[in-house]
Amino acid sequence: MKFDYKKIERMTPAMRIIHWANAICMIAAIITGLYIAHPYYQSFIAEGAVDKYVMAWNRWVHFISAIIFDVTSIVVVYLYFFSRFEKPYRKLIPNAKNVKEFGEVVLNLLTLNRRKRFDSTHSDSFNTTYFTIFHLLLFFMLFTGLQLYVHGLESGESSIGAWWPAFLHITTDWTIPVTGGTLMDVRIAHHITMWLIIVWIVFHIYYQIWRTIFWEEGDIAIVFGGSKFVKDKE
Amino acid sequence: MAEGRDESIKKLFDAKSAKVNTNRGEEYFADLYVKCQKRLGELKAMPATGGGVDLRKVLEEDGFERRDFLKWASATTAMLMLPASFTPLVAEAAEVMNRIPVVWIELSDCAGNSEALLRSDGPKIDEIVLDIISLEFHETLQAAAGHQAEKQLEEALELFRGKYILFVEGAIPLGIDGNFGTLGAKAETFKDHLLRLADGAAAVVAVGSCATYGGIPAAAPNPTDAVGVMDIVKGKPVINIPACPANPANIVGVVLHYALTGSVPELDSLLRPKFAFGYRIHDNCERRAHFDAGEYVEEWGDEGAKNNFCLYKMGCKGPMTFNNCSIIRYNESVNWPIGVGRGCIGCSEPDFWDKYAYERPMANAHIKAPTGGVERTVDQFGLGLLTAAGIGIGIHAAASVMAGKKNSDEKDA
Ligand code: HEM
Ligand code: SF4
């Protein structure tokens, strides 16, 4: 039996850039975040404290990746609603069609690809939901992280103006009561959510590879080249 | 009901607007100056209550010169975040503070705050100033006991109704109808006692972490259901001066502020005066350079400890704690916890005993699971999750491989 493969464009260059920016920042945030939590290497450099700046660099890298996350998150929210070709929010509405598709994708995974009764051309509702969970976790990281950050701006001033700490208080103070009432709870929540994100990443990578192997549609290429291939029967 | 909800939603979004406004402009301070002068004039006209001790005399007897007192006054002015021009007013206020009647009660506590005032190596000016405030009632300090003490209290409450400041030290147990703590022959519960005394007070000051948030009595599992003053007293100005013990300088600061302006100082969302709790310890810590450099004490007494390295890895909670002890220290700047080489335990923050005081970095601390049962560190919890996910993935991958590829073409064919 012969069939052709049809090329389907799935991710624009902008989306791929965001993906890899997020991936790199995530690794950087985890490495530096774990250092901030519990400095796991010592600075043996025989120089005065003024010259080393090891924790400060770790925090700097952590905050820079945080700021990149800030920007990509805003763009991602925009794309969820206004993307040129795949508007992910449509797959999130729990209507009969999406719920059925979600169930079918889970069954596909559990039956080890014995059963595949959904259209894998475009992002399915399971995948979209899974990505949405990631973005929500990342948002939680942003809000708790910025709350931890604003503790150091208690004068109400910052190098970019007084609006910045004021803005951070308005947008992140809710994390204190929500996580348990103390500043430490915010920090615990920030740390635990990191682990949730790591677990998320592990399954994400596994699932993308698994799909590539079993569906034989080159899914892994989406994030590099922007497109995958589906079999064109005829 | 709807209003209550709006209120709580509003609170959610300005839970901790920590901005410390040190400069409110000349006009504001000029107004305040006139207001304070007027207020001090009124106080001076009032008779000194209590023994009517003269601060100048007491200071002289204790060997302080006028100059020392003025130095103290200018430091206190700075602490209250007032311009230097207010120094003479602050000095005057300290002298007329004995016009303000104070009732001091102790509930579930260790008397540590009273002790902090009394047991310094030699009386410091802060403590002397507190000594001469018109302490109408203080169970631990007064000579009277038993029925005599109760009578004294009733008299003070009657005489100074609506005028006295009520200082509360210690938490309030609510379990078994408050009967974990009772006072006097009639076995009045701590809660009723507090409510009765707060009723006639001009303001209520909770001193120390127990009175503020329940503190140590309220630490898990909180057997007596202890809570802080602000959970009980409603409809009165409540000022919290947490820390274990509360810094005498901050207690004086609050009374002075009240003497000077007739109002309570600006408070944060936890009702703590901003002049004292507006800054984070970590940002004014003398070891901060070592923190940024990544130079940490790894164990007690090591080379790092000898070189005053940062105590972060020994569990210092300065990064999450707001208090002014890194600036004003204790006992008139003699020293403070981090100065003596041990980490901050966050004693001025809510739930400090359970969430801050474990003397390990948070990542290594045993945190209760939401179910309350097992205690694990956050990292153990995270690694547990990761292992579970890994096992799941492993099983799925192995099953996939063994089942072999069954691809859709065969099915179609
Ligand atoms: C999304 C990925 C992120 C990960 C995996 C991550 C991880 C961590 C971890 C593990 C810690 C140590 C907490 C502890 O003491 O146990 C930390 C601290 C911190 N994070 Fe993040 N974080 C992330 C994003 C952010 C963002 C978006 C911000 C926003 C500015 C942020 C700001 C902070 C701050 C301010 C601290 C405390 C640093 C200090 O006190 O010096 N983080 N992070
Ligand atoms: S000793 Fe504590 S407060 Fe001081 S710099 Fe280190 S972590 Fe911060």
Side-chain angles (χ1 to χ4, degrees), chain A residues 26 29-30 33-34 36-37 59 62-63 66 69 138 141-142 145-146 148-149 187 190-191 194 197, chain B residues 280 282 291 312 319 362-363:
Chain A
M26 189 55 71
I30 290 170
L34 283 172
I36 297 168
R59 295 180 68 223
H62 196 78
F63 300 154
F69 277 140
L138 184 55
M141 277 323 243
L142 284 171
L146 288 169
L148 294 175
Y149 177 73
R187 199 152 176 173
H190 193 74
H191 196 116
M194 174 196 72
I197 289 183
Chain B
R280 188 168 64 147
H282 188 55
F291 174 85
Y312 188 61
M362 188 275 282

Side-chain angles (χ1 to χ4, degrees), chain B residues 38-58:
Chain B
K38 191 161 152 272
R39 159 101 181 152
L40 288 176
E42 285 167 14
L43 279 183
K44 248 184 258 172
M46 278 164 51
T49 55
V53 219
D54 185 347
L55 177 63
R56 288 189 191 210
K57 260 207 215 111
V58 179

Side-chain angles (χ1 to χ4, degrees), chain A residues 13-115:
Chain A
M15 290 159 86
R16 279 174 275 148
I17 289 171
I18 292 175
H19 175 274
W20 289 111
N22 274 353
I24 293 167
C25 286
M26 189 55 71
I27 292 167
I30 290 170
I31 292 173
T32 54
L34 283 172
Y35 181 83
I36 297 168
H38 190 271
Y40 48 80
Y41 53 86
Q42 292 165 30
S43 37
F44 283 129
I45 313 157
E47 288 201 61
V50 277
D51 299 322
K52 301 193 205 167
Y53 233 45
V54 176
M55 173 59 100
W57 281 119
N58 270 284
R59 295 180 68 223
W60 186 84
V61 170
H62 196 78
F63 300 154
I64 292 299
S65 44
I67 286 185
I68 297 173
F69 277 140
D70 279 327
V71 176
T72 61
S73 292
I74 293 167
V75 178
V76 167
V77 168
Y78 173 82
L79 288 178
Y80 258 58
F81 291 95
F82 304 110
S83 166
R84 194 155 46 82
F85 56 95
E86 282 186 351
K87 294 187 176 40
Y89 81 93
R90 287 200 187 140
K91 289 279 185 187
L92 291 174
I93 306 165
N95 56 22
K97 188 164 154 276
N98 283 341
V99 172
K100 182 164 178 297
E101 192 181 55
F102 188 95
E104 283 298 335
V105 181
V106 174
L107 278 177
N108 169 257
L109 185 64
L110 291 181
T111 59
L112 313 174
N113 205 32
R114 286 290 185 283
R115 171 185 168 125

Side-chain angles (χ1 to χ4, degrees), chain B residues 281-282 285 287-288 291 310-312 316 318-319 338:
Chain B
I281 288 185
H282 188 55
C285 173
R287 299 184 185 228
R288 178 61 185 264
F291 174 85
C310 168
L311 296 155
Y312 188 61
C316 178
I338 289 172

